Amino acid sequence: MNEMVRIEDFPADIDPLWAGDGSHLPEWFVSALKVPREEGYVEIDGAKAHYFRWGDPGKPKVLMTHGFLAHARCFAFIAPFLAEDYDVVAFDLAGMGDSEMRGRADLLARGGEFREIAEALNMFADGQKPTIIAHSFGSGAALTAVTQSPGTFAGVVVCDLMIMRPALLNEYWNLRRSSPGSGDPDRPSKRYSSYEAARGRYILSPPQPVGEPFLLDYMAYHSLRQDGDEWTWKFSTEVFRRSNKPDEWLTMGERLVQAPGRKAIVHGGLSLLFTPESAEYVRELGGGDIPIIAVPEARHHLMLDQPLAFVTALRSVLALWGTHTAPPFAG
């Protein structure tokens, strides 16, 4: 570790419980977490929704969210690299991270969250249209958002959303894998006697090694909360109270292609959920005009594998869209 940097000088996100003395943390990560940001809550339908905000409120808007059972901090080390040129908000979906559960957890409600948080944070001021960047499960909700409210958002960057031909997806599920959003809403959240015991149960879905293990430690720590002498997960089990019908995922390719407005796909080059076969399938469905960008050496959780390459891909899409007029919405 640089002798000029001490653990007490690190941002609050870097807690010794997960980071130790911080000597293994790269400078880019520490610097990213030091970029000024606003953290707060807005009340929506009587529940608190948690968000971070970076950049200049007068600049083009970017709205980011995460995958299932994750939280906005998966973008806390990504968004700062966009902050010079954009007004960036990353938020926790209801019932996940530090956002309270509100309403239902079904597909339509998830789609509505994007408009709700953007309205609460005045992101539509002066006719502005935020661009959505979302990962995995959050990308499916983002497609619902732009379909519910055509012309409201400037576009959506879909990050490693599970898209497969129906036959291949059925094969994938037959390997005892569950679809995103599966779980028992009536089962109480598990509790652990120590942080170390809880950390040992933090597993990515789908399971994978990560290119930057310290980022997995960071995500795990902020997925947990201490309750007395015990540790438990932040997410509410109410997030599982949804139909999660197979059709939601079997038709995801069609939903993507048919969703109105600009779309781009950024995926891990080694992802199991969006593969070269998935790209071919999207094109066959009529999505030949959708840019599809693979991040080399990244798997599904691409921000944990190749964070800086992921940043480059996102900045490239946003810059390209910033220099071209958005196509008119054809209802």
Side-chain angles (χ1 to χ4, degrees), residues 122-201:
N122 205 30
M123 297 186 79
F124 297 123
D126 302 320
Q128 296 206 58
K129 298 180 179 182
T131 297
I132 297 173
I133 297 174
H135 179 238
S136 191
F137 175 88
S139 290
L143 293 177
T144 300
V146 299
T147 302
Q148 285 175 328
S149 305
T152 299
F153 296 95
V156 58
V157 184
V158 170
C159 301
D160 218 276
L161 176 62
M162 183 172 69
I163 296 178
M164 301 182 194
R165 298 178 192 275
L168 292 178
L169 188 53
N170 280 319
E171 285 181 22
Y172 181 85
W173 282 336
N174 285 339
L175 295 174
R176 296 180 179 240
R177 296 182 173 113
S178 59
S179 60
S182 300
D184 183 357
D186 297 313
R187 184 176 179 178
S189 185
K190 293 183 179 179
R191 303 177 72 84
Y192 305 91
S193 59
S194 66
Y195 172 73
E196 290 73 20
R199 172 65 184 87
R201 298 302 301 164

Side-chain angles (χ1 to χ4, degrees), residues 2 124 149 179 208 216 248 271 316:
N2 188 325
F124 297 123
S149 305
S179 60
Q208 65 161 81
L216 184 63
E248 178 181 334
S271 175
S316 298

Side-chain angles (χ1 to χ4, degrees), residues 3 40 49 79 129 169 183 227 240 267-268 291 304:
E3 292 181 0
K129 298 180 179 182
L169 188 53
D227 185 8
F240 299 120
H267 68 96
L304 306 184

Side-chain angles (χ1 to χ4, degrees), residues 14 19 70 97 106 116 119 133 152 154 160 174 202 214 223 237 266-267 280 299 318:
I14 301 177
D106 60 27
E116 290 169 348
E119 287 178 340
I133 297 174
T152 299
D160 218 276
N174 285 339
Y202 184 81
F214 74 91
S223 297
T237 57
V266 177
H267 68 96
E280 182 179 329
R299 295 174 175 80
L318 292 173

Side-chain angles (χ1 to χ4, degrees), residues 163-166 250-251 253-254 257 276-287:
I163 296 178
M164 301 182 194
R165 298 178 192 275
L250 292 169
T251 61
E254 287 93 336
V257 171
E277 165 71 17
S278 303
E280 182 179 329
Y281 179 48
V282 168
R283 294 186 181 106
E284 288 176 8
L285 290 171

